[in-house]
Amino acid sequence: MAAVIVENLCHAFGQGEMRRQVLQNISFSIEPGEVVLLTGPSGCGKTTLLTLIGALRTVQGGRVNVLGQPLDGAGRRCRQQVRRQIGMIFQGHNLLRCLSAEQNVQMGADLLPGLSYRARRDEARQWLRAVGLEDQMAKLPQDLSGGQKQRVAIARALAAHPRLLLADEPTAALDSRTGREVVELLQRLAREQSCAVLMVTHDPRIVDVADRLLQMEDGCLLNAVQ
């Protein structure tokens, strides 16, 4: 079964004369283990689409099924349960300032059932090493660069062993070498754990890692390939 099924998805912001349609009849699917890149100009609706698939917004029109769970008409508790199976990497990092890099990543590992504290800590350290931050584990976010914060956020998402990974410009704050290493790590996660990956990007250097490329413009998919 597809990890993500989107059919005729529509979404708008505002009311009355201020109402603006941001998504129009979006349809596509993503299989487990598939890496899909979503491209398009700023403001075309890419991030809104990610937040709807990530169960962060209520579906207004159309159908969204994520990991076998319909999100159209779903209540808050149902959306929370779906989110626990999704890794999310957004540009704002969303790291807790009072926690070290290791503790922030361990928040992802805390979602894994049946693991001891030591096992969750070891999981966090493993993913920080995987993104090249083995010497930054004890640092607070304020002592990290923008690229380092992004890598912590990526490690936190991966530490939860998600079945679906949603990433919004994950390489934006990274140099070319580190960005390449990160996307190859995401590609390996998809292959080894049958994790579906949907990644928004403007980075032409990583297009070759994708199984499929989706292009958006003015709230519409230009190549809605199933």
Side-chain angles (χ1 to χ4, degrees):
M1 181 179 182
V4 175
I5 301 172
V6 177
E7 293 181 347
N8 301 317
L9 179 64
C10 298
H11 199 80
F13 291 128
Q15 301 291 331
E17 293 182 358
M18 300 298 293
R19 184 176 176 84
R20 183 171 67 91
Q21 195 75 27
V22 293
L23 296 177
Q24 302 182 55
N25 296 318
I26 301 289
S27 296
F28 68 97
S29 62
I30 306 174
E31 298 297 323
E34 188 178 21
V35 178
V36 176
L37 296 192
L38 180 63
T39 67
S42 297
C44 71
K46 301 184 303 295
T47 299
T48 300
L49 177 58
L50 241 60
T51 57
L52 284 161
I53 294 171
L56 294 171
R57 298 183 191 274
T58 301
V59 176
Q60 294 176 351
R63 175 177 173 239
V64 179
N65 187 297
V66 174
L67 302 175
Q69 177 62 54
L71 293 183
D72 39 295
R76 180 176 297 179
R77 178 173 295 182
C78 175
R79 295 200 306 274
Q80 287 175 340
Q81 291 173 343
V82 172
R83 284 200 298 270
R84 291 178 67 88
Q85 303 176 75
I86 301 174
M88 300 185 192
I89 305 167
F90 290 109
Q91 293 184 59
H93 313 307
N94 298 324
L95 303 179
L96 291 183
R97 292 178 294 176
C98 60
L99 298 182
S100 68
E102 179 185 315
Q103 291 167 327
N104 266 286
V105 176
Q106 189 172 325
M107 290 180 65
D110 286 344
L111 296 174
L112 297 173
L115 290 187
S116 66
Y117 170 81
R118 177 171 292 184
R120 297 195 306 272
R121 183 195 64 190
D122 290 346
E123 188 80 19
R125 291 177 176 178
Q126 171 194 326
W127 285 111
L128 281 169
R129 285 192 291 270
V131 297
L133 292 178
E134 60 273 5
D135 57 345
Q136 308 291 330
M137 294 186 184
K139 288 189 176 181
L140 295 173
Q142 67 194 39
D143 299 319
L144 299 172
S145 69
Q148 289 170 332
K149 290 177 187 176
Q150 182 73 331
R151 283 187 277 169
V152 172
I154 290 167
R156 180 181 58 190
L158 299 182
H161 291 203
R163 295 175 59 196
L164 169 65
L165 184 72
L166 303 174
D168 193 357
E169 298 282 3
T171 64
L174 306 179
D175 61 60
S176 58
R177 181 182 63 83
T178 304
R180 184 72 194 184
E181 290 174 352
V182 163
V183 296
E184 288 178 352
L185 182 65
L186 301 184
Q187 185 184 46
R188 191 163 72 246
L189 175 80
R191 300 291 184 267
E192 295 177 356
Q193 300 185 19
S194 293
C195 175
V197 176
L198 177 60
M199 192 186 321
V200 168
T201 186
H202 289 103
D203 190 346
R205 299 168 300 182
I206 64 172
V207 171
D208 62 299
V209 306
D211 298 302
R212 197 149 43 98
L213 183 66
L214 298 178
Q215 295 176 293
M216 281 189 71
E217 189 171 309
D218 297 330
C220 300
L221 275 186
L222 300 183
N223 54 344
V225 180
Q226 295 298 317

